[in-house]
Amino acid sequence: MATQLSPETMTPEHEGRAVTYVPRHAEGDLSHEDCERGKIMHWNHCGVMVDYSRNQCRTDYKDLYLDF
């Protein structure tokens, strides 16, 4: 089971880890066709900077799940 990210649980070891972006309309369904995988670049109180295959952007914590 994937773990949803939160600012309180982020540590330097998370940098470079794989995550899955789950859009809100997917309602937590990690198999939804609009989900996208990426890697954590860095983070702050506003969100997580994620390197996706086509771009890099800030993503809200509540929309990201840590891959195992």
Side-chain angles (χ1 to χ4, degrees), residues 47-67:
V48 181
M49 184 61 88
V50 180
D51 183 10
Y52 296 105
S53 61
R54 294 176 296 218
N55 62 4
Q56 299 172 350
C57 65
R58 185 189 65 80
T59 307
D60 288 334
Y61 286 96
K62 62 186 164 203
D63 297 332
L64 289 174
Y65 290 80
L66 189 61
D67 294 345

Side-chain angles (χ1 to χ4, degrees), residues 13-31:
E13 288 80 31
H14 284 96
E15 190 172 314
R17 293 279 308 269
V19 290
T20 300
Y21 163 70
V22 180
R24 293 185 188 149
H25 67 269
E27 299 179 346
D29 179 6
L30 287 131
S31 64

Side-chain angles (χ1 to χ4, degrees), residues 4-12 14 43-48 59-64:
Q4 188 172 21
L5 292 183
S6 71
E8 297 81 26
T9 60
M10 295 297 286
T11 67
H14 284 96
W43 62 93
N44 60 28
H45 67 283
C46 295
V48 181
T59 307
D60 288 334
Y61 286 96
K62 62 186 164 203
D63 297 332
L64 289 174

